[in-house]
Amino acid sequence: MFRTALRNVLAHKARLLMTVLAVMLGVAFVSGTLVFTDTLGNAFRNQSAKGYDKVAVAVESPRSNIGNAAPIGIPVTTLEKIQDLDGVAEATGRVSGFAGVADQKGKLIGAGWANRGGNHFPGQNGEDEAYDFAQGAAPAKNGQVALDKTTADKGDYRVGDTVRVATTGPVKEYTLSGVFTTEDGAVNAGGSLVLFDTAEAQRLYAKPGVFHDINVSAESGFSDEKLLASVKPLIPKDADAQTGAALADQEAKDIKQGMTNLNTMLLAFAAIALFVGVFLIANTFTMLVAQRTRELALLRAVGASRRQVKRSVVLEALLVGAIASVVGFVLGLGLAVGLRSAMSAFQVQIPAGPLVVSPLAVFAALAVGILITVLAAWLPARRAAKIAPVAAMSSVHAAATSKSLVVRNSIGGVLTLAGVVAVFAGAASGGGNGRMMIGAGAFLALLGVMVLIPLLSRPVIALARPLLNRLFGVAGKLAGQNAVRNPRRTGATASALAIGLTLVTGLTVIGVTVGQAIDKSTTSNVRADYLVTMASGDAVDSSAVTALEKAKGAVGVSPQQALMFKVEGEYTSASAVSAQDMEKVFNLKTVTGSLDTLADGGLAVAEKTADSNGWQAGDTVTVAFEKNGRATEKKKLTIGAVFEDNEMVSSYVLATDLVAPYYEQPDIREVWVKMDGGETAANEQALVDALGDNPAMNIMDKQDIRNMFGGLINTMLNIMYGLLGMALIIAILGVVNTLAMSVFERQQEIGMLRAIGLDRARVKRMIRLEAVVISLFGAVIGVVLGTFLAWAIGETLKDSIPNYALVLPYGRIAIFLLLAGLVGVLAAMWPARSAARLNMLTAIKTE
């Protein structure tokens, strides 16, 4: 039976090609994902270990909390005490923060969030072992900086050039003293690294004589743990000390966790691709078994048992799966290399390192490919073994019994009903639990529809048949009949497309709906013309607010300062805004009271918060501010206004003048600006000039603000489309495979049609129309299911997303259906051409 299986594989190479491709693509996705994430994780782990290679003990001080006066630091006296300890070879003090470098055109180099600045700390030999200088020397005095080589190359800077560097304050010009190479994570993440001399870095990021971190290296033969025990008593109580090895291990765990999340996401899409492939594989083997019914019956007649017949088909699938898995694994290695290279498109540099091919990746890829193929072929094999020899010899195409159809449709109906009920229940429940119920219901409903899809094919396709007859005549009539001739085959082929379109449509409907809700919130809640933020996402310096207030044409400027304070003993977040200009930049709708009371030290509270606490305008509440992050000072505030909830501000709003005494360094993430004349090129340039042409400051108009809030959704949708593309490619292969098999089975019929006058052009048209009908059938099922699931998920989100209202993107749905029809046309090209080229006399004689 093994020789029989091998002979059948070799005899049907062309017919099994699509199955091989489907398995190969799925396996490539799995192996590529595993190899890519293993390689990525290994590279970053090695980089992390290298960073702590010479660090015996690392002392870290926590950064400031929201509103604290200054970063909590480690004084230089502590560094000096550590340097005097026995066993200490070197103790290096570090400070760091944001630093953005402008290129020759004044634009920011690198990704804002990864642009960092730090200090060069010369050791006993005058060098800092963390950096190797390729050109020039380290910054030795105020007014000098050094740049990493990548940033210097991007900005076309040479030693001696003037470099404009932005930190949290105004832009300052420095002289480039040197260019260095580094494995710093910020640079590898697509950012930049600027080195200042220690005094300048402390002035910018901490206080004179204060460090954020201290790295200690040990003398040869001295124990890290022993050195740690000596260091701990010397450091401030809010600082933390660990061995370098412990920190490297912790970073390795964090990296592994990050890679696990990426791995899970990519493997989820690989699973979708393989699930779609199951339909193609099962369809292929069902058709192959049907074509070989007489052959299998003959084997039964000469003594082969049912088990042997089934084993023959399963062995055939095993061989196909093994071949496809091996080829897919090799392709996966190429995919991993390609993904690594593609990271540069997102300005992320991967540390150098070898391609990591773990035994798990090899085993998983081969096991998944073979197992999926064998499982998909098992049901056709079981059917083949159950056919009686005499019945099989008397009819090549044995019709499914009414009992089997009743059982199939009953199972499908129960699964679909259970899934729909679960989806409705989840939509009614809402929240995270509701979404879990919807997920389970969606899986059941999808399975049920896939089981029922042969039953659905006849009535759904029947709706299109009159149109086919009217527009395409005989070719259209034959295409409609052929599409429902074998409902199981049509259903299996359409199922692959239905799954892909369900996911794509669901994601699109949710994405468009959430995007429009966010857009509506943005436009209805904001009156400002511009939003100013730091490219790094850090706090905007107060000096920038002052500069914007003096900008030509500015009629309203309000910072939005984030802060935490206690209200009636409980911590909560609040927004501090300009009492004078708040109503010029925000559209806060007052329910009771007046927002003018903010200028007199009043408190404004959102409606839902006020209702939940039973507050009204005029009530007094006790709040507590943390002055400079240390002492707590209580104060009684009068609620001067209750306003409708607004997504642009917190539930509590105060005036910046009221909170100024408590926060020396306010945490201002946004500055909203209203200009005389609205959005114009001149007004935008006035803001740029007021900020000193600062490359680290983002000036966004209303459209940019919309894009900021809604752009992430579009980006995520595009990524999802790309990942789901693999499943759709496999679905296309399924259409090609079905049509190719159909043409092979119907050679005699096609020959007869040609003999009675159907020319080649109409034969091609018939095959193409059949493909289009099947593709559109699957697409319609997918669009309906996807829209239904998107509605259900939306019901669980609408309470947390203001202005949420289901939006059906008819334009995009029409494009999906159009693309499905195009898929049918493209998939039919080869089968249609093969059908048209058949020799009619030879075809008529074919059995």
Side-chain angles (χ1 to χ4, degrees), residues 64 102 135 170 186 208 259 317 352 357 365 376 383 417 455 489 493 533 538 570 620 631 641 706 759 771:
S64 62
Q135 303 168 30
M259 292 299 104
V357 183
R383 284 202 205 105
L417 181 61
L455 178 66
R489 181 188 303 168
T493 305
T533 62
D538 293 331
E570 294 186 7
T620 300
R706 288 193 186 101
D759 58 24

Side-chain angles (χ1 to χ4, degrees), residues 130-177:
Y131 310 105
D132 296 321
F133 279 83
Q135 303 168 30
K141 60 182 180 180
N142 186 15
Q144 292 184 336
V145 293
L147 296 178
D148 68 272
K149 189 174 186 305
T150 302
T151 302
D153 290 344
K154 287 179 180 178
D156 196 23
Y157 286 120
R158 302 289 182 271
V159 173
D161 288 352
T162 298
V163 181
R164 297 178 71 245
V165 179
T167 54
T168 53
V171 181
K172 188 175 177 181
E173 292 186 344
Y174 295 88
T175 300
L176 184 62
S177 65

Side-chain angles (χ1 to χ4, degrees), residues 379-458:
L379 193 57
R382 184 171 174 272
R383 284 202 205 105
K386 291 176 70 175
I387 299 174
V390 175
M393 287 183 180
S394 63
S395 176
V396 175
H397 302 289
T401 64
S402 58
K403 180 182 177 182
S404 68
L405 292 175
V406 169
V407 170
R408 177 191 179 109
N409 294 335
S410 299
I411 292 172
V414 170
L415 288 173
T416 304
L417 181 61
V420 170
V421 169
V423 170
F424 275 114
S429 300
N433 292 333
R435 285 190 285 275
M436 290 180 65
M437 290 176 66
I438 291 171
F443 180 72
L444 290 174
L446 199 58
L447 280 181
V449 171
M450 296 308 104
V451 174
L452 285 176
I453 210 166
L455 178 66
L456 296 174
S457 63
R458 289 186 181 277

Side-chain angles (χ1 to χ4, degrees), residues 209-231:
V210 172
F211 296 98
H212 292 149
D213 310 305
I214 296 175
N215 292 335
V216 185
S217 59
E219 292 179 347
S220 178
F222 204 88
S223 166
D224 291 356
E225 286 72 18
K226 185 177 179 181
L227 190 58
L228 176 63
S230 302
V231 168

Side-chain angles (χ1 to χ4, degrees), residues 340-548:
R340 183 170 177 170
S341 301
M343 294 292 280
S344 60
F346 295 94
Q347 296 185 328
V348 178
Q349 300 177 20
I350 308 301
L355 198 68
V356 177
V357 183
S358 66
L360 175 63
V362 179
F363 174 78
L366 296 179
V368 163
I370 293 172
L371 189 63
I372 289 291
T373 311
V374 170
L375 286 177
W378 180 80
L379 193 57
R382 184 171 174 272
R383 284 202 205 105
K386 291 176 70 175
I387 299 174
V390 175
M393 287 183 180
S394 63
S395 176
V396 175
H397 302 289
T401 64
S402 58
K403 180 182 177 182
S404 68
L405 292 175
V406 169
V407 170
R408 177 191 179 109
N409 294 335
S410 299
I411 292 172
V414 170
L415 288 173
T416 304
L417 181 61
V420 170
V421 169
V423 170
F424 275 114
S429 300
N433 292 333
R435 285 190 285 275
M436 290 180 65
M437 290 176 66
I438 291 171
F443 180 72
L444 290 174
L446 199 58
L447 280 181
V449 171
M450 296 308 104
V451 174
L452 285 176
I453 210 166
L455 178 66
L456 296 174
S457 63
R458 289 186 181 277
V460 174
I461 294 177
L463 296 175
R465 286 172 65 177
L467 184 64
L468 291 173
N469 296 347
R470 199 159 41 244
L471 294 179
F472 303 102
V474 174
K477 182 178 181 179
L478 292 171
Q481 291 174 346
N482 291 333
V484 294
R485 175 180 293 185
N486 191 328
R488 287 192 176 188
R489 181 188 303 168
T490 298
T493 305
S495 295
L497 277 170
I499 293 168
L501 264 296
T502 297
L503 297 171
V504 169
T505 304
L507 289 170
T508 301
V509 172
I510 292 173
V512 170
T513 301
V514 172
Q516 289 204 15
I518 291 173
D519 185 71
K520 187 180 293 184
S521 296
T522 304
T523 54
S524 63
N525 294 329
V526 174
R527 290 173 176 160
D529 298 310
Y530 294 98
L531 170 62
V532 179
T533 62
M534 289 288 291
S536 62
D538 293 331
V540 178
D541 192 75
S542 299
S543 62
V545 180
T546 304
L548 289 168

